[in-house]
Amino acid sequence: MTVVTGDGLLVAVDSPVHRIPAQVKLVALFVFVLAVVSTPAAVFWAFGVYAGMLVAAVAVAKVPAPVVSRRLAVETPFIVFALLLPFVATGPQVSVLGLELSQSGVLGAWNVLAKGTLGVIAAILLSATTAPRELLAGLERLRLPATLVAILSFMVRYLSVVSDDLHRMRVARESRGYMGGRVGHLKAVAGGVGALFVRSFERGERVHLAMRSRGYTGRMPLLSVQGASRGQWMEGVAISVAAVVVAVAARMVSS
């Protein structure tokens, strides 16, 4: 049974991908995206290989296809930009279905769509198989500055709290019969955002004082003390290493 939990974007199932430590998956994502971005756009077969790798990884991770397709909506602005490129780019023209399109624009649109979609799917796979706390622990294991890890951990913790405050403010406003038009609505939203900022700032002060009273010295306790084994590293970066091989082969073919 597949369960999409309230813990970030995690899809709570048991799979080999879920069991790989977060730091391994973060390195694998970085290397995979780097390989995809460095691949020449005209080497079409390479992107087919990358897509096949991601489809296999999604299947192994037991992430439902509808979940991936819904989260791909975040790519919409890039798709719109890519669809406009053939019409606004300069250079030699090519006729497609009666439309005169720029050859460089068509290739550029393909470049944006292919690389963007592959990168977004890889990020979706990471978020669907790794809880936010595990991601923070992975960043910590990768020697990300402790201050930045602390800031990210507070952001993850209090994002839902601030969101709940905003929801309660909206409910309270509507329960008092607020029926403002567009201009009035914007004014009410601006006032609510200001009040929410003040409330969040005061909460941050109280949390900081509470932490100091409990011995906080400016450094958070380690989120994880357990590293990844050699076998987990080999399993986790296997696809990324294969992607690097494909990228090198693609550059050799195009040169």
Side-chain angles (χ1 to χ4, degrees), residues 47-72:
F47 297 98
V49 176
Y50 296 143
M53 292 178 181
L54 286 179
V55 169
V58 169
V60 172
K62 302 178 183 178
V63 178
V67 172
V68 177
S69 60
R70 284 197 304 270
R71 296 179 182 179
L72 273 173

Side-chain angles (χ1 to χ4, degrees), residues 127-211:
S127 63
T129 58
T130 316
R133 181 179 174 83
E134 294 175 356
L135 282 174
L136 292 173
L139 292 171
E140 191 175 55
R141 294 292 304 178
L142 293 174
R143 300 294 188 270
L144 194 72
T147 302
L148 186 55
V149 173
I151 292 173
L152 291 173
S153 64
F154 280 118
M155 183 188 71
V156 171
R157 169 64 182 87
Y158 286 100
L159 185 62
S160 60
V161 176
V162 174
S163 177
D164 290 341
D165 281 346
L166 187 61
H167 175 70
R168 286 194 294 269
M169 292 170 65
R170 182 181 64 82
V171 171
R173 184 172 66 245
E174 294 178 355
S175 66
R176 288 167 174 78
Y178 178 76
M179 299 293 292
R182 291 186 176 180
V183 177
H185 181 70
L186 290 176
K187 182 178 179 181
V189 170
V193 170
L196 183 63
F197 174 79
V198 173
R199 183 180 301 180
S200 301
F201 182 81
E202 292 175 345
R203 177 185 288 115
E205 290 289 328
R206 293 194 298 269
V207 170
H208 182 257
L209 290 175
M211 293 172 62

Side-chain angles (χ1 to χ4, degrees), residues 100-122:
E100 294 297 324
L101 305 178
S102 167
Q103 292 183 5
S104 61
V106 171
L107 185 61
W110 158 256
N111 189 45
V112 172
L113 284 175
K115 295 181 179 180
T117 301
L118 291 171
V120 170
I121 293 176

Side-chain angles (χ1 to χ4, degrees), residues 35-48:
V36 171
V37 170
S38 62
T39 302
V43 186
F44 303 110
W45 62 265
F47 297 98

